[in-house]
Amino acid sequence: MADTTDTGTNEAVSRPRKSSWTYIGPGIVVAATGVGAGDLVATLIAGSKFGYTLMWAAVIGCVVKISLAEAAGRWHLATGRTLFEGWRSLGRWTTVYFAVYVVVWGFVYGATAMSSSALPIVALFPDGPGLKTWAVVTGLIGLVFVWFNQYAVFERVMTVLIGVMFVVVMYVAIRVAPDFGASFAGLLPVLPDGSLLYTLGLIGGVGGTITMAAYGYWVNAKGWTNTGWMKVMRLDNRVAYITTGLFVVAMLIIGAELLHSSQIALTKGDRGLIDLGAILEDRFGATTAKLFLVGFFATSFSSLIGVWHGVSLMFADFVERIRKDRVAVTADESGKTTTEEVASGERERSVPFRAYLLWLTFPPISLLFLDEPFGLVVVYGVLGAFFMPFLALTLVWLLNSSRTPKEWRNGILSNVMLTAAGLLFIVLCVQQVRDIPW
């Protein structure tokens, strides 16, 4: 059930809320969902190659994500319309792109998320079932959990998972005895030879997925539906990406201290965290290694259920908007704005929401037992590479147009940050497309 406390008359609902830590929630969800195991490995590898030198890029990346998520949340609160509704107003091309993207991306991501969640379980219980069995189990648990619980329970579980992630990662970072002098020196912008792509990846990669677009939906699901919640949303968003920034800094420290000096290489992708677990066991003992694997599981499983909930919510809105456009239903006729429909919990009980949950779970299981088809890998890579530029640049478009009330349109700082983010993501997009095994 959406958190609708503090609502009442229309006058009370529109009155600005004081920003307060007691309201924090959607930011925790987006932070827990956006930081996956693969992101942590990429950060570890950057630390292992360049030590503390790229610390400044992690800080800039945090600021970029704050700007993007704030823009998505501001659109939802200022207009009473969801992000997909905004995209649809830009033309049919956005609908076509999103429709293809959400189907193909969900199919491949589902298998990836299940495998990532299973890896630490297999490492913790090597004599138990194999990776594929645990992958199916984690996917089914995610399905059942999201199917039978609405936002309030989902948020509480995500808060517990990010708490576990935070404690474990910070504990390991402290155990490796960071060099504080070198870490502060790393705040000065420097580009070592061969570091450009790692730098751009740190700025744009960690926490930068479709879940950033889902942030506005989680804001509404919390019960925040109008401009009275703007200050609360901005505080919530800052907490989210400062938390993400702390994760990135901690993983850079671990990479710099454990791997850089000894020139130890990690496997790319989620399996790199299994390598790190073995290194931690050699250095600090089995207890620290097992604790790290628990944190690895919290990281992966929070991303799984976050996507199962957030992207299913977006898909349900996508289907509902198309249906309403066909029968010409307006907000006035239905009695609710689009964001109020999300806040009511209607989307989470809808057939499209649950249909997409099934799509994320069962078809991807086949990929766990088969090699991913070559063509699917290419399409998945191209569509995924274009999403973040699509998000950043469409937000610039929407928030500078008459679609947004004048007082909530972009100022100079927002336009600079969103445009810079868009250009950054275009560069990363080109690189990702080049790296696809054509």
Side-chain angles (χ1 to χ4, degrees), residues 144-208:
V144 171
F145 171 74
V146 175
W147 188 290
F148 290 105
N149 292 288
Q150 289 188 264
Y151 179 80
V153 175
F154 165 71
E155 183 190 287
R156 285 196 287 272
V157 170
M158 292 292 276
T159 302
V160 171
L161 290 172
I162 200 172
V164 172
M165 292 163 57
F166 190 86
V167 169
V168 169
V169 170
M170 294 303 160
Y171 167 74
V172 175
I174 292 168
R175 283 297 304 269
V176 302
D179 182 338
F180 289 106
S183 62
F184 282 114
L187 295 175
L188 295 174
V190 175
L191 274 178
D193 290 343
S195 68
L196 179 60
L197 291 178
Y198 288 97
T199 303
L200 293 177
L202 273 179
I203 295 173
V206 181

Side-chain angles (χ1 to χ4, degrees), residues 44-62:
L44 272 173
I45 292 174
S48 71
K49 286 182 177 291
F50 304 105
Y52 291 95
T53 310
L54 300 181
M55 190 74 76
W56 62 274
V59 175
I60 291 177
C62 180

Side-chain angles (χ1 to χ4, degrees), residues 298-313:
T299 300
S300 298
F301 192 66
S302 64
S303 293
L304 186 152
I305 62 173
V307 166
W308 263 230
H309 186 277
V311 184
S312 296
L313 203 54

Side-chain angles (χ1 to χ4, degrees), residues 47-340:
S48 71
K49 286 182 177 291
F50 304 105
Y52 291 95
T53 310
L54 300 181
M55 190 74 76
W56 62 274
V59 175
I60 291 177
C62 180
V63 175
V64 167
K65 303 305 186 314
I66 287 173
S67 302
L68 272 168
E70 187 275 341
R74 176 156 44 97
W75 166 265
H76 277 245
L77 296 180
T79 65
R81 303 166 74 190
T82 61
L83 188 53
F84 179 74
E85 198 173 1
W87 286 338
R88 194 155 169 79
S89 73
L90 300 178
R92 291 181 59 84
W93 65 274
T94 60
T95 302
V96 172
Y97 169 75
F98 184 78
V100 177
Y101 171 77
V102 80
V103 171
V104 175
W105 181 88
F107 184 36
V108 180
Y109 180 83
T112 303
M114 287 186 267
S115 294
S116 179
S117 297
L119 275 171
I121 302 177
V122 172
L124 283 166
F125 306 104
D127 296 327
L131 178 68
K132 292 173 182 175
T133 301
W134 278 120
V136 172
V137 169
T138 57
L140 293 176
I141 291 172
L143 169 69
V144 171
F145 171 74
V146 175
W147 188 290
F148 290 105
N149 292 288
Q150 289 188 264
Y151 179 80
V153 175
F154 165 71
E155 183 190 287
R156 285 196 287 272
V157 170
M158 292 292 276
T159 302
V160 171
L161 290 172
I162 200 172
V164 172
M165 292 163 57
F166 190 86
V167 169
V168 169
V169 170
M170 294 303 160
Y171 167 74
V172 175
I174 292 168
R175 283 297 304 269
V176 302
D179 182 338
F180 289 106
S183 62
F184 282 114
L187 295 175
L188 295 174
V190 175
L191 274 178
D193 290 343
S195 68
L196 179 60
L197 291 178
Y198 288 97
T199 303
L200 293 177
L202 273 179
I203 295 173
V206 181
T209 67
I210 190 173
T211 55
M212 295 196 71
Y215 178 64
Y217 289 85
W218 284 322
V219 162
N220 294 152
K222 179 75 171 175
W224 307 346
T225 58
N226 54 57
T227 56
W229 293 100
M230 198 70 76
K231 285 185 179 179
V232 175
M233 181 275 294
R234 284 170 168 161
L235 173 64
D236 177 77
N237 173 48
R238 287 169 192 148
V239 169
Y241 285 101
I242 289 172
T243 302
T244 301
L246 290 173
F247 277 124
V248 177
V249 168
M251 294 306 283
L252 269 176
I253 289 170
I254 295 168
E257 293 295 340
L258 275 185
L259 310 175
H260 180 60
S261 58
S262 55
Q263 296 298 300
I264 297 172
L266 293 181
T267 305
K268 287 187 178 180
D270 299 348
R271 290 184 180 273
L273 293 186
I274 300 295
D275 296 346
L276 181 60
I279 295 167
L280 288 171
E281 184 168 2
D282 289 341
R283 179 90 173 262
F284 301 112
T287 301
T288 297
K290 288 185 184 303
L291 184 63
F292 176 76
L293 290 171
V294 170
F296 177 4
F297 173 75
T299 300
S300 298
F301 192 66
S302 64
S303 293
L304 186 152
I305 62 173
V307 166
W308 263 230
H309 186 277
V311 184
S312 296
L313 203 54
M314 292 182 69
F315 181 78
D317 183 54
F318 161 73
V319 172
E320 184 65 12
R321 281 320 321 153
I322 291 175
R323 185 190 71 80
K324 287 191 173 182
D325 285 350
R326 283 178 177 169
V327 298
V329 175
T330 67
D332 289 337
E333 290 166 348
S334 65
K336 293 178 182 175
T337 63
T338 315
T339 54
E340 286 170 343

